[in-house]
Each structure stands twice: as structure tokens, then as C-alpha cells.
Amino acid sequence: EVSGDRSVRLHTFVHNGIMILRDNRAFRWFCVGTFVFGFANAMIQPAYVIYQVQIGVGTDWAGVYAIIAASIMTVAYFHWGGIIDKKSPPGLMATQALCWVSIPLIYCIASRPWMLLPVYLVSGILLAGVELVFFNGVLHFAPRERITHYQAVFLTIMAAAGLIGPLVGAAMLQSRILPMKVMFLMTGLMIASSGLILMVGMRRYDRPNAAEDRPPDASS
């Protein structure tokens, strides 16, 4: 279906996007939770790469990791599709976030390349689900006539997390403000907190497509 009014000017579109976050409390909690999740994962990526080099990961192991993750994701998409059809996206995202905590914890104890294999097993399974939950989470909250507007707001927030996170992580590494393994533990705590944020938002405000949550000017 066609979503949105193409005659709306950019400044009005941006203003209405801000009003979405103000008025739709359930969607706001979902965006905050996923932002924390995305920011934590983006922030720790530079440390993951450097740590892999330190424990001897070369191009051969990097290729193995990529093959494992991609193969598992291909199968996992089919299974997650059926699961997501039956579950609330914010609740499922909270569960996935809590499971994702295992990844930085594995980095804390890994001292050989083979010890990172569980990371790519877990991430292959979870990443497929996370991608589908991101998309379906927006559909869960957005009125049909505003799907593209909600999607624009959500992806802008996630893009901000993806842009800022690596810069913060790289700055922390360069300044050596924290040992690398402490950064892994901090990332695990941030990801766990994102799951808690999503749970709180789901229990308090999860009312998909609630008409009373729409801004007065619903043009998009």
C-alpha cells in the first residue's frame, strides 16, 4: 500500500518525525532500546578487530568465521520468520539482546582463534532475528498510512548509533582509558540494559498502532 503524503515539505516531515517520538511512547521505548543495543555493538567493533589480531586471527580464520556466520544466518532467517509472526517484536528483541550478551563475554575469555567460533555461531543465529525484528518492530507500531515515516525515524536513530559508536570505541582504545576486556564487560552491560529497556517499554506501553499516539498532524 502507498504510505505517506509526498506533498509534505521536508521541515514538516522532520518535525512530525520528532512528534512521533514524543507522542508514541511505546515506539519511543523501542527506539531507545534498539539505539543502546546498536550503539554498544558499534562501539566495541574496533576493539573486537584489534583483539582478534592480538590472539592470532589471520585471514584464514576470518574466512572461516564469515562462512560460519553467513551459513547459519541463511537457515536462521526461515526459522525467525515464523517465530516473529507469533511474538511481540519488542519482547523478542529484548530476549535477543540478552542472548547477545554472551558475545562480549566470550571475547573476555578467548585466548585462541578457535575460541571465537561460538561468537559466530551465536551471532549468525541472532543477527538474522535482529534484522527481522528491526523491520517488523516498525510495522508493529506504525499506523498503515505512516509506515514510511516511522521507518525513516527508526533508521535515522540506528544510523546515528552506527556512526557515533565506532568513533567512541576507537577514541577509548587510543586513549587507553579502559583495558580491552573491561570494555567487553561494559559492552555486555550496555547490551543487557538495552534488553531491560525494551522489556519495560513493552510492559508499560506496548499498544501497536494506537490511534491516540499519533501526532495531530499525521501527514508524512
Side-chain angles (χ1 to χ4, degrees), residues 193-210:
S193 70
S194 74
L196 295 177
I197 291 169
L198 289 159
M199 284 183 179
V200 172
M202 179 187 69
R203 292 179 178 179
R204 294 179 63 180
Y205 301 116
D206 190 7
R207 292 176 294 130
N209 304 326

Side-chain angles (χ1 to χ4, degrees), residues 19 22 33 37 39 46 55 68 104 107 140 155 159 182 196 198 209:
M19 292 301 100
R22 187 196 71 177
F37 176 84
F39 177 86
I55 64 173
I68 290 174
Y107 269 93
H140 180 73
L155 291 178
V182 174
L196 295 177
L198 289 159
N209 304 326

Side-chain angles (χ1 to χ4, degrees), residues 12-86:
T12 303
F13 184 86
V14 172
H15 174 267
N16 289 343
I18 296 172
M19 292 301 100
I20 286 174
L21 294 175
R22 187 196 71 177
D23 298 330
N24 192 326
R25 292 174 293 183
F27 184 63
R28 182 171 69 234
W29 278 81
F30 181 72
C31 288
V32 171
T34 52
F35 175 85
V36 174
F37 176 84
F39 177 86
N41 280 290
M43 181 193 71
I44 202 62
Q45 289 305 314
Y48 282 166
V49 173
I50 292 174
Y51 190 71
Q52 286 181 8
V53 173
Q54 289 180 351
I55 64 173
V57 174
T59 54
D60 52 349
W61 275 107
V64 170
Y65 297 156
I67 291 170
I68 290 174
S71 300
I72 292 175
M73 283 179 65
T74 301
V75 177
Y77 276 119
F78 291 96
H79 292 282
W80 279 116
I83 294 171
I84 291 171
D85 283 342
K86 301 174 184 177

Side-chain angles (χ1 to χ4, degrees), residues 63 106 127 178 180:
I106 293 171
L127 188 57
L178 291 173
M180 201 173 297

